[in-house]
């Protein structure tokens, strides 16, 4: 279990994470990880919210902060510079421009918004009560497919985040996930096992085992992420993540460099 890289970690620049990047790196070393990638929330292009993402002026600082730990820890661990960017319909061109202004090792794509509704934001949780849950799930998977087709991202993050508050659909979503997995495969998109769901009301990793099997069968490659918003969560529950990956049929995961798959590593 010492080979896994954690590709989903944050920094205080997003306004809702704590700890210095060096503390995240130190914890990764303690956990025996060989690689850590930072993927803090990239500036939102639709609106500004200092509690959700860094702003545009902070992006150079973010890059410098991670470049600094990359160099300082080079002998102990590989540090990759990524970013987690929102898929916002209508903002594709601006997102593309933002992402190409830096040499990122990888870009995580995320769907956190349906229109202006931040459906996974605890502050907007009560809006779920007025929603048709099946409809929300179908809209969510549609946004994932559009994210993949946009080719803006390398890895899609937490691909069933819609279950976060444990709102479960009454209809079977297997067909939606199959279509989504095919869209990922067709656009070379990678999927992640995100262990943070275990710490949320849904109490399971993203995605669930039945969904992950569908991605594996479709031939979609895999990364691992803790979605750490504090240093102690780096690499958290990766033992369970590896079990889930193997149960789904995965035999390897991938690491990125300069937005290309650098290596495939056996699990
Ligand atoms: Zn966050
Ligand atoms: Fe996210
Ligand atoms: Fe995240
Ligand atoms: Zn995330």
């Amino acid at each position: 279990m010492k080979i896994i890289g954690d590709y989903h970690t944050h920094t205080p620049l997003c306004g809702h994470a704590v700890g210095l990047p060096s503390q995240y790196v130190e914890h990764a070393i303690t956990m025996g990880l060989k690689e850590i990638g930072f993927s803090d929330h990239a500036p939102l292009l639709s609106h500004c919210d200092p509690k959700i993402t860094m702003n545009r002026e902070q992006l150079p600082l973010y890059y410098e902060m991670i470049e600094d730990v990359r160099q300082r820890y080079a002998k102990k661990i590989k540090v990759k510079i990524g970013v987690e960017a929102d898929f916002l319909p209508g903002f594709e061109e601006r997102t593309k421009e933002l992402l190409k202004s830096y040499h990122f090792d990888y870009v995580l794509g995320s769907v956190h918004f349906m229109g202006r509704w931040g459906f996974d934001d605890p502050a907007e949780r009560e809006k779920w009560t007025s929603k048709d849950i099946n409809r929300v799930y179908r809209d969510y998977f549609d946004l994932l497919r559009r994210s993949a087709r946009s080719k803006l991202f390398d890895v899609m993050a937490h691909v069933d985040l819609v279950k976060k508050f444990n709102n479960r659909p009454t209809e079977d979503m297997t067909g939606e996930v199959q279509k989504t997995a095919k869209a990922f495969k067709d656009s070379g998109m990678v999927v992640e096992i995100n262990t943070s769901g275990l710490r949320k009301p849904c109490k399971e990793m993203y995605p669930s085992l039945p969904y992950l099997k569908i991605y594996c069968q479709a031939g979609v490659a895999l990364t691992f992420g803790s979605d750490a918003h504090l240093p102690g969560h780096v690499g958290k529950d990766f033992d369970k993540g590896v079990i889930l990956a193997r149960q789904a049929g995965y035999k390897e995961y991938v690491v990125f460099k300069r937005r290309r798959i650098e290596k495939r590593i056996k699990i």
Side-chain angles (χ1 to χ4, degrees):
M1 221 298 282
K2 295 204 165 176
I3 47 164
I4 306 297
D6 187 343
Y7 264 28
H8 197 147
T9 66
H10 291 275
T11 82
L13 289 180
C14 67
H16 61 274
V18 296
L20 297 168
S22 59
Q23 295 174 305
Y24 285 72
V25 174
E26 296 274 359
H27 195 74
I29 295 166
T30 306
M31 295 295 284
L33 303 183
K34 290 281 183 274
E35 183 154 344
I36 177 173
F38 284 87
S39 58
D40 205 10
H41 299 283
L44 266 184
L45 297 167
S46 51
H47 58 291
C48 243
D49 188 338
K51 290 191 295 299
I52 297 182
T53 72
M54 68 180 87
N55 62 42
R56 272 204 99 130
E57 290 67 48
Q58 290 171 310
L59 193 55
L61 171 64
Y62 171 67
Y63 198 88
E64 279 166 34
M65 268 167 46
I66 310 306
E67 185 56 40
D68 171 61
V69 288
R70 190 215 290 268
Q71 288 172 15
R72 277 201 281 143
Y73 288 92
K75 291 206 171 104
K76 290 185 173 165
I77 191 168
K78 267 191 192 173
V79 177
K80 297 286 172 72
I81 309 183
V83 78
E84 177 176 3
D86 279 89
F87 178 67
L88 301 162
F91 291 87
E92 291 88 342
E93 277 308 310
R94 272 165 280 186
T95 304
K96 188 175 171 187
E97 203 186 297
L98 179 89
L99 295 174
K100 74 174 188 204
S101 57
Y102 287 87
H103 291 299
F104 291 117
D105 287 309
Y106 63 94
V107 175
L108 298 185
S110 281
V111 172
H112 300 110
F113 293 96
M114 286 182 198
R116 278 294 184 90
W117 179 38
F119 63 85
D120 79 315
D121 185 344
E124 299 195 56
R125 185 176 176 175
E126 81 285 349
K127 289 190 187 150
W128 273 96
T129 55
S130 63
K131 302 283 179 185
D132 171 346
I133 294 176
N134 293 316
R135 175 77 195 278
V136 173
Y137 270 69
R138 280 193 294 270
D139 289 350
Y140 173 77
F141 289 116
D142 185 55
L143 283 165
L144 284 185
R145 292 190 286 273
R146 290 166 67 185
S147 305
R149 287 187 209 112
S150 75
K151 306 239 170 144
L152 289 167
F153 316 112
D154 306 308
V155 183
M156 283 311 287
H158 41 58
V159 292
D160 58 359
L161 180 66
V162 67
K163 74 184 176 189
K164 177 175 172 179
F165 297 126
N166 209 29
N167 294 296
R168 301 289 181 167
T170 53
E171 290 167 17
D172 182 12
M173 293 293 152
T174 305
E176 289 290 329
V177 178
Q178 284 168 336
K179 279 199 280 178
T180 306
K182 186 176 185 307
F184 279 26
K185 177 65 183 170
D186 291 347
S187 36
M189 187 63 59
V190 172
V191 76
E192 74 166 6
I193 288 181
N194 183 312
T195 59
S196 74
L198 290 170
R199 314 191 290 269
K200 300 290 157 39
C202 62
K203 296 218 156 49
E204 5 170 275
M205 289 179 265
Y206 309 114
S208 63
L209 177 60
Y211 291 0
L212 190 63
K213 277 183 178 161
I214 295 170
Y215 287 100
C216 184
Q217 276 158 13
V220 176
L222 182 71
T223 65
F224 288 86
S226 63
D227 218 337
H229 286 69
L230 52 94
H233 282 168
V234 173
K236 192 158 171 55
D237 294 316
F238 274 22
D239 47 349
K240 293 180 187 135
V242 171
I243 292 168
L244 188 81
R246 289 187 185 136
Q247 283 175 333
Y250 279 101
K251 306 233 177 329
E252 58 185 29
Y253 73 101
V254 297
V255 291
F256 281 85
K257 187 175 187 175
R258 293 278 174 115
R259 304 207 59 184
R260 284 178 188 282
I261 290 177
E262 179 188 22
K263 262 191 294 186
R264 295 173 182 272
I265 300 170
K266 295 263 176 286
I267 48 172

